[in-house]
Amino acid sequence: MFTGIIEDVGVIKSLTPTGEDIRLSIDVNKLDMSDVKLGDSIANNGVCLTVVAMSSNGFSADVSHETIKRTGFVAYKAGHKVNLEKALQANSRLGGHIVSGHVDGVGQVLSVTTVGRYVEIWLKAPDELAKYLAEKGSITVDGVSLTVNQVNGAKFLLTLIPHSLQETIIGSYKVGTKVNLEVDVIARYLERLIMGDKAAQEQNDNAKSDISMAFLAENGFLR
Protein backbone atom coordinates (compact mmCIF):
# COMPACT_ATOMS: atom_id res chain seq x y z
CA MET A 1 0.00 0.00 0.00
CA PHE A 2 1.22 3.49 -0.89
CA THR A 3 0.16 7.14 -0.63
CA GLY A 4 1.21 8.59 -3.96
CA ILE A 5 3.71 10.94 -2.29
CA ILE A 6 6.96 10.44 -4.20
CA GLU A 7 10.13 10.05 -2.16
CA ASP A 8 12.73 9.99 -4.92
CA VAL A 9 13.34 9.89 -8.65
CA GLY A 10 15.44 6.87 -9.58
CA VAL A 11 17.08 5.82 -12.83
CA ILE A 12 16.75 2.46 -14.54
CA LYS A 13 20.26 1.02 -14.66
CA SER A 14 19.41 -2.09 -16.64
CA LEU A 15 16.58 -4.33 -17.84
CA THR A 16 17.64 -7.95 -18.17
CA PRO A 17 15.31 -10.43 -19.92
CA THR A 18 14.57 -13.57 -17.91
CA GLY A 19 12.39 -15.61 -20.23
CA GLU A 20 9.17 -13.63 -20.75
CA ASP A 21 9.88 -11.48 -17.69
CA ILE A 22 12.60 -8.92 -16.95
CA ARG A 23 14.92 -8.14 -14.04
CA LEU A 24 14.86 -4.41 -13.41
CA SER A 25 17.78 -2.69 -11.66
CA ILE A 26 17.23 0.81 -10.26
CA ASP A 27 19.76 3.35 -9.00
CA VAL A 28 18.28 5.59 -6.31
CA ASN A 29 19.21 9.17 -5.54
CA LYS A 30 18.04 10.25 -2.07
CA LEU A 31 15.78 7.33 -1.16
CA ASP A 32 16.67 6.01 2.29
CA MET A 33 17.39 2.31 1.77
CA SER A 34 18.59 1.67 5.33
CA ASP A 35 15.26 0.14 6.37
CA VAL A 36 14.62 -1.76 3.10
CA LYS A 37 15.07 -5.52 3.04
CA LEU A 38 14.53 -8.30 0.53
CA GLY A 39 10.82 -8.87 -0.06
CA ASP A 40 9.82 -5.27 0.63
CA SER A 41 7.67 -3.35 -1.83
CA ILE A 42 8.69 -0.21 -3.68
CA ALA A 43 6.45 1.57 -6.20
CA ASN A 44 8.18 2.38 -9.51
CA ASN A 45 6.12 4.86 -11.52
CA GLY A 46 3.11 3.58 -9.61
CA VAL A 47 3.87 -0.11 -10.11
CA CYS A 48 4.30 -2.12 -6.91
CA LEU A 49 7.44 -4.23 -7.27
CA THR A 50 9.17 -6.58 -4.83
CA VAL A 51 12.81 -6.00 -3.95
CA VAL A 52 14.70 -9.19 -4.89
CA ALA A 53 18.27 -7.88 -4.65
CA MET A 54 20.05 -4.86 -3.25
CA SER A 55 23.20 -2.99 -4.24
CA SER A 56 25.22 -0.17 -2.76
CA ASN A 57 23.14 2.43 -4.58
CA GLY A 58 19.85 0.78 -5.40
CA PHE A 59 17.82 -2.38 -5.81
CA SER A 60 16.52 -4.92 -8.31
CA ALA A 61 13.01 -6.23 -8.90
CA ASP A 62 11.39 -8.74 -11.22
CA VAL A 63 8.73 -7.43 -13.60
CA SER A 64 6.25 -10.04 -14.80
CA HIS A 65 4.88 -10.42 -18.31
CA GLU A 66 1.48 -9.27 -17.02
CA THR A 67 2.96 -6.08 -15.59
CA ILE A 68 4.90 -5.36 -18.77
CA LYS A 69 1.73 -5.80 -20.82
CA ARG A 70 -0.43 -3.53 -18.66
CA THR A 71 1.98 -0.67 -17.93
CA GLY A 72 4.43 1.70 -19.55
CA PHE A 73 7.27 -0.70 -18.71
CA VAL A 74 6.90 -2.12 -22.20
CA ALA A 75 8.68 1.01 -23.52
CA TYR A 76 11.16 1.63 -20.70
CA LYS A 77 14.89 1.48 -21.38
CA ALA A 78 18.10 1.97 -19.41
CA GLY A 79 18.36 5.61 -18.38
CA HIS A 80 14.59 6.06 -17.99
CA LYS A 81 13.69 7.95 -14.80
CA VAL A 82 11.03 6.59 -12.44
CA ASN A 83 9.14 7.93 -9.44
CA LEU A 84 9.90 5.91 -6.30
CA GLU A 85 7.92 5.41 -3.10
CA LYS A 86 8.47 2.86 -0.36
CA ALA A 87 5.46 1.04 1.02
CA LEU A 88 3.32 2.86 3.58
CA GLN A 89 4.03 2.13 7.24
CA ALA A 90 1.29 2.00 9.86
CA ASN A 91 2.65 5.09 11.63
CA SER A 92 3.10 7.17 8.47
CA ARG A 93 1.03 10.15 7.37
CA LEU A 94 -1.43 9.46 4.55
CA GLY A 95 -0.45 12.59 2.67
CA GLY A 96 -1.95 11.62 -0.68
CA HIS A 97 -4.64 8.95 -1.03
CA ILE A 98 -4.78 5.17 -0.79
CA VAL A 99 -2.74 3.74 -3.68
CA SER A 100 -2.44 0.00 -4.28
CA GLY A 101 0.37 0.04 -6.83
CA HIS A 102 -1.75 -1.89 -9.34
CA VAL A 103 -1.92 0.02 -12.62
CA ASP A 104 -5.34 0.13 -14.31
CA GLY A 105 -4.19 1.40 -17.68
CA VAL A 106 -1.80 3.56 -19.67
CA GLY A 107 -2.78 7.14 -20.46
CA GLN A 108 -1.24 9.72 -22.76
CA VAL A 109 -0.35 13.40 -22.36
CA LEU A 110 -2.36 15.59 -24.73
CA SER A 111 -1.08 19.05 -23.82
CA VAL A 112 1.27 20.81 -21.40
CA THR A 113 0.62 24.49 -20.67
CA THR A 114 2.55 26.77 -18.32
CA VAL A 115 0.33 29.13 -16.33
CA GLY A 116 2.46 31.37 -14.13
CA ARG A 117 4.37 29.09 -11.75
CA TYR A 118 2.01 26.19 -12.41
CA VAL A 119 1.61 23.73 -15.26
CA GLU A 120 -1.69 22.44 -16.60
CA ILE A 121 -1.65 19.00 -18.23
CA TRP A 122 -4.48 17.39 -20.16
CA LEU A 123 -4.30 13.60 -20.38
CA LYS A 124 -6.34 10.92 -22.11
CA ALA A 125 -7.20 7.81 -20.13
CA PRO A 126 -8.30 4.53 -21.74
CA ASP A 127 -12.03 4.72 -22.47
CA GLU A 128 -12.82 1.96 -19.98
CA LEU A 129 -11.42 4.08 -17.14
CA ALA A 130 -13.47 7.20 -17.95
CA LYS A 131 -16.25 6.20 -15.53
CA TYR A 132 -13.79 6.37 -12.63
CA LEU A 133 -12.72 9.95 -13.35
CA ALA A 134 -14.41 12.56 -11.16
CA GLU A 135 -13.82 16.28 -10.88
CA LYS A 136 -11.89 16.98 -7.66
CA GLY A 137 -11.42 13.23 -7.25
CA SER A 138 -8.07 11.48 -6.91
CA ILE A 139 -6.00 9.69 -9.52
CA THR A 140 -2.49 8.25 -9.51
CA VAL A 141 -0.27 9.22 -12.45
CA ASP A 142 3.09 7.42 -12.60
CA GLY A 143 2.74 6.84 -8.88
CA VAL A 144 1.90 10.46 -8.01
CA SER A 145 -1.30 11.21 -6.09
CA LEU A 146 -3.04 14.04 -7.94
CA THR A 147 -6.39 15.84 -8.04
CA VAL A 148 -8.52 15.78 -11.18
CA ASN A 149 -9.54 19.40 -11.88
CA GLN A 150 -11.69 18.91 -14.98
CA VAL A 151 -13.14 15.94 -16.83
CA ASN A 152 -14.25 15.74 -20.45
CA GLY A 153 -15.11 12.19 -21.43
CA ALA A 154 -11.94 10.16 -20.97
CA LYS A 155 -9.83 13.33 -20.91
CA PHE A 156 -8.87 14.99 -17.63
CA LEU A 157 -6.95 18.03 -16.45
CA LEU A 158 -4.22 18.19 -13.81
CA THR A 159 -2.72 21.33 -12.30
CA LEU A 160 0.85 20.81 -11.05
CA ILE A 161 2.54 22.99 -8.44
CA PRO A 162 6.29 23.72 -8.72
CA HIS A 163 7.15 21.22 -5.96
CA SER A 164 5.50 18.32 -7.82
CA LEU A 165 7.25 19.31 -11.03
CA GLN A 166 10.64 19.40 -9.30
CA GLU A 167 10.33 16.26 -7.17
CA THR A 168 8.82 13.87 -9.75
CA ILE A 169 9.25 12.99 -13.42
CA ILE A 170 6.12 14.98 -14.31
CA GLY A 171 8.30 18.01 -15.05
CA SER A 172 9.65 16.13 -18.10
CA TYR A 173 6.23 15.31 -19.58
CA LYS A 174 5.55 16.40 -23.15
CA VAL A 175 2.80 15.77 -25.66
CA GLY A 176 2.63 12.04 -26.35
CA THR A 177 4.24 10.89 -23.09
CA LYS A 178 2.70 7.61 -21.88
CA VAL A 179 1.85 7.38 -18.18
CA ASN A 180 0.70 4.69 -15.76
CA LEU A 181 -2.76 5.36 -14.31
CA GLU A 182 -4.40 3.95 -11.20
CA VAL A 183 -7.94 5.07 -10.42
CA ASP A 184 -9.19 5.69 -6.90
CA VAL A 185 -9.65 2.32 -5.19
CA ILE A 186 -12.86 3.60 -3.54
CA ALA A 187 -14.41 3.99 -6.99
CA ARG A 188 -13.52 0.38 -7.76
CA TYR A 189 -15.21 -0.93 -4.63
CA LEU A 190 -18.23 1.33 -5.16
CA GLU A 191 -18.71 -0.12 -8.63
CA ARG A 192 -18.78 -3.66 -7.26
CA LEU A 193 -21.02 -2.69 -4.37
CA ILE A 194 -23.75 -1.13 -6.47
CA MET A 195 -23.79 -4.17 -8.75
CA GLY A 196 -25.45 -6.02 -5.89
CA ASP A 197 -26.22 -9.66 -6.69
CA LYS A 198 -24.94 -9.20 -10.24
CA ALA A 199 -21.41 -9.14 -8.87
CA ALA A 200 -21.60 -12.90 -8.30
CA GLN A 201 -22.43 -13.62 -11.94
CA GLU A 202 -19.60 -14.82 -14.14
CA GLN A 203 -18.69 -12.67 -17.13
CA ASN A 204 -16.71 -13.47 -20.23
CA ASP A 205 -13.44 -11.65 -20.89
CA ASN A 206 -15.09 -9.20 -23.27
CA ALA A 207 -17.98 -8.31 -20.98
CA LYS A 208 -18.25 -4.69 -19.90
CA SER A 209 -19.69 -3.30 -16.70
CA ASP A 210 -23.30 -2.13 -17.00
CA ILE A 211 -22.66 0.63 -14.46
CA SER A 212 -23.40 3.87 -16.31
CA MET A 213 -24.07 7.50 -15.38
CA ALA A 214 -27.79 6.82 -15.93
CA PHE A 215 -27.64 3.82 -13.57
CA LEU A 216 -25.91 5.93 -10.90
CA ALA A 217 -28.53 8.68 -11.24
CA GLU A 218 -31.43 6.24 -11.06
CA ASN A 219 -30.03 4.75 -7.85
CA GLY A 220 -29.45 8.05 -6.10
CA PHE A 221 -25.68 8.32 -6.49
CA LEU A 222 -25.92 11.42 -8.70
CA ARG A 223 -28.11 14.50 -8.50
Side-chain angles (χ1 to χ4, degrees):
M1 195 67 68
F2 306 90
T3 69
I5 304 300
I6 301 305
E7 299 177 271
D8 189 18
V9 174
V11 179
I12 296 178
K13 181 179 180 180
S14 64
L15 298 97
T16 306
T18 56
E20 292 188 347
D21 303 337
I22 60 173
R23 172 68 59 90
L24 177 74
S25 293
I26 300 287
D27 282 344
V28 304
N29 179 25
K30 61 181 180 179
L31 189 69
D32 181 10
M33 298 290 290
S34 63
D35 60 347
V36 176
K37 61 184 184 298
L38 297 182
D40 283 355
S41 297
I42 296 179
N44 297 251
N45 272 5
V47 181
C48 177
L49 297 178
T50 300
V51 175
V52 297
M54 298 180 64
S55 65
S56 59
N57 59 337
F59 65 96
S60 296
D62 290 331
V63 185
S64 70
H65 176 69
E66 176 71 8
T67 298
I68 296 170
K69 181 177 65 175
R70 290 182 173 269
T71 71
F73 273 95
V74 68
Y76 291 0
K77 298 178 181 179
H80 193 102
K81 293 184 178 180
V82 291
N83 294 321
L84 300 174
E85 181 191 355
K86 294 188 292 187
L88 175 68
Q89 295 181 330
N91 62 348
S92 298
R93 289 189 178 94
L94 186 59
H97 71 283
I98 297 174
V99 177
S100 67
H102 301 154
V103 172
D104 293 301
V106 176
Q108 183 171 345
V109 174
L110 300 177
S111 67
V112 180
T113 306
T114 300
V115 182
R117 297 174 59 241
Y118 300 83
V119 170
E120 292 186 341
I121 302 178
W122 276 98
L123 298 99
K124 170 71 166 60
D127 289 346
E128 61 269 21
L129 298 184
K131 59 187 175 183
Y132 302 113
L133 301 175
E135 187 171 330
K136 302 307 177 184
S138 297
I139 192 166
T140 307
V141 179
D142 277 341
V144 185
S145 171
L146 295 168
T147 299
V148 176
N149 284 325
Q150 289 185 42
V151 178
N152 182 6
K155 301 175 183 178
F156 62 98
L157 174 67
L158 303 174
T159 302
L160 283 302
I161 63 174
H163 179 80
S164 297
L165 296 170
Q166 295 168 4
E167 298 298 321
T168 73
I169 67 170
I170 295 179
S172 66
Y173 284 1
K174 57 185 179 181
V175 174
T177 297
K178 300 291 183 65
V179 298
N180 293 325
L181 300 177
E182 180 187 331
V183 300
D184 190 349
V185 66
I186 296 176
R188 284 289 195 188
Y189 283 114
L190 176 60
E191 179 185 31
R192 293 290 292 177
L193 179 63
I194 61 180
M195 287 177 67
D197 293 340
K198 291 183 179 180
Q201 298 176 6
E202 294 185 5
Q203 299 180 356
N204 60 52
D205 292 340
N206 296 321
K208 295 183 178 180
S209 170
D210 57 1
I211 303 302
S212 62
M213 296 301 288
F215 179 93
L216 293 174
E218 290 172 0
N219 288 273
F221 289 93
L222 298 176
R223 295 183 179 180

